[in-house]
Amino acid sequence: MEFNVEEGKHLHEECSTLILPALSIGNVGQLAVDLLISSTRADRIGYFDDPNILPCVGNDAYWPAPRGHLALALEAYDSPSNALTIVQQRSPVSKGMMVEFAMSLADFAAASGKKHIVVLSSLDFVRWQMIDMSSGLQIYYLSSINTDGTDDECEKLGWKRLPEYNPAQRRWKYLSDLAEGNALQEDSTEFEDEAGEEDYYPSLPFAAMFSCFKAKGLKVTCLLCYCSEGDNIPDSFHLAEAASKFLGLSLDNRQGNEGGKWVIPFSWKSIYGPPPDMSLF
């Protein structure tokens, strides 16, 4: 993976926290990252060139006036006022290359002085075993703070640790060994041949990212929500709100939705129409 800094720009040393999505159902992590980039007025500082991610190109996603900027597959934005770097991923990783991609991201994070990594992703609603909607949409988390994945700060916010995380389970353990260089990727064939229900969660992109960032000695927190395919805009607001609350972000609400604080990416308006009334969620 090569990081290319835009002309006249640089990585800000004070941006010690990194937020990025892990691609999954409904693209909720990516949509939440769009909201965070727009609402923190983060500035694009560069892009990544990585052979493991499929190439793509599109129009500027955030500003209504054409500025001649193209949106690429993997970009980095800095918000110095929030001590925050945000990476947006717009295309999938090549099949079978997720762990290698996650390792490259972990190398970048460590080399650029990041201290805390926050991964945003979604989980398939049909896999939800213990449904509790009494307090609305539920955020689940996974943290490297403790070996069992718990974090007191997340618990104080009313979030629940992902119950399917078990560091002793064979695929979670394999991911950890692979990230630490104690296993070979070829050893994964047994999981493909005899995959069980317990192998589903550690097979997802967020799990590879969690294991690889953790192996680098970085603090990593995954924020997760269950959803189904469809209109996932409300889910993305919910996940972005969780990240903002967790990190205490300062948002620019000059152009946010009425009564709210989120700046809606310009590209959303032509695709999804006006933003939802978040008081309903």
Side-chain angles (χ1 to χ4, degrees), residues 32-78:
V33 164
D34 268 348
L35 278 172
L36 291 168
I37 290 172
S38 291
S39 301
T40 59
R41 294 293 180 181
D43 184 40
R44 187 172 74 174
I45 57 169
Y47 63 92
F48 298 86
D49 185 11
D50 189 283
N52 298 311
I53 189 169
L54 300 180
C56 76
V57 65
N59 199 10
D60 192 323
Y62 302 109
W63 309 107
R67 301 189 299 173
H69 289 175
L70 293 176
L72 302 176
L74 196 64
E75 298 179 326
Y77 296 76
D78 268 5

Side-chain angles (χ1 to χ4, degrees), residues 106-148:
D107 287 339
F108 164 77
S112 57
K114 305 307 178 192
K115 306 298 183 186
H116 186 190
I117 316 300
V118 179
V119 179
L120 306 181
S121 194
S122 51
L123 305 170
D124 192 346
F125 190 85
V126 301
R127 300 272 181 171
W128 201 357
Q129 299 296 316
M130 300 177 64
I131 300 177
D132 178 9
M133 299 294 287
S134 60
S135 56
L137 294 173
Q138 178 67 53
I139 292 292
Y140 286 84
Y141 77 89
L142 182 59
S143 172
S144 65
I145 291 291
N146 297 307
T147 55
D148 64 353

Side-chain angles (χ1 to χ4, degrees), residues 79-269:
S79 174
S81 62
N82 288 292
L84 181 67
T85 295
I86 307 174
V87 167
Q88 177 61 296
Q89 180 184 343
R90 295 192 175 91
S91 66
V93 174
S94 299
K95 185 177 180 180
M97 304 308 294
M98 186 61 220
V99 173
E100 185 171 333
F101 175 68
M103 287 179 173
S104 296
L105 284 173
D107 287 339
F108 164 77
S112 57
K114 305 307 178 192
K115 306 298 183 186
H116 186 190
I117 316 300
V118 179
V119 179
L120 306 181
S121 194
S122 51
L123 305 170
D124 192 346
F125 190 85
V126 301
R127 300 272 181 171
W128 201 357
Q129 299 296 316
M130 300 177 64
I131 300 177
D132 178 9
M133 299 294 287
S134 60
S135 56
L137 294 173
Q138 178 67 53
I139 292 292
Y140 286 84
Y141 77 89
L142 182 59
S143 172
S144 65
I145 291 291
N146 297 307
T147 55
D148 64 353
T150 58
D151 185 332
D152 289 343
E153 293 302 315
C154 292
E155 294 290 333
K156 289 176 183 177
L157 291 169
W159 303 339
K160 300 177 181 178
R161 194 213 67 167
L162 184 69
E164 288 79 8
Y165 177 65
N166 176 8
Q169 191 267 343
R170 62 171 190 165
R171 186 144 190 172
W172 283 110
K173 188 175 186 306
Y174 163 73
L175 268 180
S176 179
D177 289 343
L178 190 60
E180 294 171 1
N182 299 324
L184 298 176
Q185 192 138 4
E186 290 77 7
D187 298 338
S188 66
T189 52
E190 65 175 290
F191 303 118
E192 307 302 328
D193 296 337
E194 302 177 9
E197 283 294 315
E198 70 278 5
D199 295 316
Y200 170 71
Y201 287 90
S203 73
L204 298 178
F206 86 87
M209 290 186 176
F210 175 79
S211 299
C212 291
F213 286 124
K214 183 180 178 182
K216 281 288 183 181
L218 301 170
K219 177 184 177 183
V220 52
T221 308
C222 297
L223 301 183
L224 311 162
C225 67
Y226 281 92
C227 71
S228 301
E229 292 283 3
D231 179 5
N232 297 111
I233 293 298
D235 302 303
S236 67
F237 273 93
H238 184 57
L239 193 56
E241 179 68 36
S244 176
K245 183 185 298 184
F246 182 52
L247 297 174
L249 300 183
S250 174
L251 305 181
D252 182 342
N253 64 358
R254 287 175 295 179
Q255 297 181 24
N257 49 313
E258 185 177 353
K261 62 183 179 182
W262 296 105
V263 179
I264 308 303
F266 180 74
S267 60
W268 285 25
K269 297 177 182 179

